[in-house]
Amino acid sequence: MEKRTLHTVLSPRLLDLYTLSDATIVIIDVFRATSTIATALSHGATAVFPVADVEKCKQLGAELNAITAGERNGQVIEGLLHGNSPAEYPSTFIDGKQLVLTTTNGTKLLKMALDQGAAQIITGSFVNLGSVCQFLEKSQKNVILACSGWKDRFNLEDTLFAGAVADQLSEKFAMNCDSTLMAKQMYQLHKEDMTNFIRNTSHWHRLKAFGLEKDLEFCVTPGAAEVLPLYNPKTAALTAAAIS
């Protein structure tokens, strides 16, 4: 039986070079959207509605009586009460509630994948690495690991996560993809001291300036929020899916 394929997209600008209609797309935005989505769902949120537009976030939040949250350039958006910090969504706050979220990079990329006909969309970060790999291994689809980057530019943290996924699934997929090879080898080189390596990244320094270093340390903690966020196109929401 021919192996399924796995490709890594290093920037949203490259997404249209890939066929999405037969693949599971993993939206990756380690700092911090996909880490926050996993955290909220693992703490009992009933749904996360990812939206690309701030006004849409406010409108949908009002319609659903949901929590509205988001950031631009790392800071809470004016007019929204909550930001994109995983620490803002403990179970005591988010359990049983819905969250409408807009971010600089991750929610924008998710919309792009939808517009380009993605067959299936999940979100991934180090905090739910195990759930992502387990789901992809059992899925019958090809896989595209889509890195959100920073305003369409390459970043290290998303690529490292793609490398971690590729490392765990290397026996299950055909990976004739230089981006995946590079990501996997970079992860293998730095996995024993990953936090210190990621401290060198531009996004770490950008968010550290806002006092968010604890957020960043959490976001690179494997297994800190094990859940599988699966996008439902009928509801336009991410919910925690069972992995069977």
Side-chain angles (χ1 to χ4, degrees):
M1 183 177 175
E2 189 174 341
K3 283 186 176 180
R4 292 165 290 156
T5 62
L6 185 149
H7 289 87
T8 300
V9 182
L10 297 176
S11 161
R13 286 286 184 95
L14 301 173
L15 189 67
D16 63 357
L17 301 178
Y18 296 81
T19 300
L20 311 190
S21 58
D22 64 348
T24 297
I25 316 304
V26 185
I27 303 297
I28 305 167
D29 188 1
V30 172
F31 294 156
R32 296 165 287 160
T34 56
S35 299
T36 296
I37 289 166
T39 301
L41 290 174
S42 72
H43 286 164
T46 57
V48 177
F49 294 83
V51 296
D53 178 76
V54 176
E55 290 308 313
K56 175 67 174 176
C57 180
K58 295 177 181 178
Q59 177 188 347
L60 185 59
E63 291 174 4
L64 298 172
N65 193 28
I67 296 164
T68 54
E71 59 77 28
R72 288 294 183 270
N73 301 317
Q75 297 183 291
V76 179
I77 297 168
E78 186 176 351
L80 300 180
L81 295 178
H82 301 280
N84 188 27
S85 168
E88 291 185 70
Y89 304 100
S91 58
T92 51
F93 172 64
I94 197 66
D95 186 30
K97 298 176 184 175
Q98 298 181 109
L99 175 65
V100 184
L101 180 68
T102 182
T103 68
T104 304
N105 303 293
T107 56
K108 174 185 171 184
L109 178 58
L110 193 151
K111 185 178 185 304
M112 290 173 63
L114 283 171
D115 290 345
Q116 292 181 35
Q120 185 177 58
I121 295 176
I122 65 173
T123 65
S125 178
F126 286 102
V127 298
N128 66 330
L129 172 62
S131 298
V132 168
C133 290
Q134 188 179 354
F135 180 84
L136 295 177
E137 184 175 346
K138 293 183 176 182
S139 169
Q140 298 305 306
K141 293 180 172 60
N142 297 322
V143 170
I144 293 177
L145 305 175
C147 300
S148 297
W150 172 255
K151 296 184 177 180
D152 292 332
R153 298 177 184 177
F154 169 89
N155 72 20
L156 279 172
E157 63 272 9
D158 292 351
T159 304
L160 276 171
F161 176 75
V165 174
D167 184 58
Q168 289 201 22
L169 299 180
S170 58
E171 299 300 317
K172 304 294 182 180
F173 288 83
M175 299 185 184
N176 185 21
C177 166
D178 287 352
S179 298
T180 301
L181 175 64
M182 182 271 292
K184 183 172 74 169
Q185 292 191 344
M186 185 170 67
Y187 170 73
Q188 290 171 339
L189 184 62
H190 296 288
K191 64 181 179 179
E192 300 303 328
D193 195 25
M194 194 168 55
T195 301
N196 282 332
F197 177 61
I198 285 181
R199 286 178 190 274
N200 298 315
T201 65
S202 60
H203 212 161
W204 184 290
H205 288 287
R206 188 180 299 113
L207 295 174
K208 181 182 176 182
F210 301 139
L212 297 170
E213 196 162 12
K214 289 294 183 183
D215 266 17
L216 305 182
E217 291 171 354
F218 175 83
C219 290
V220 294
T221 304
E226 284 296 356
V227 71
L228 197 286
L230 175 65
Y231 186 82
N232 183 337
K234 293 182 179 178
T235 62
L238 291 150
T239 55
I243 304 172
S244 57

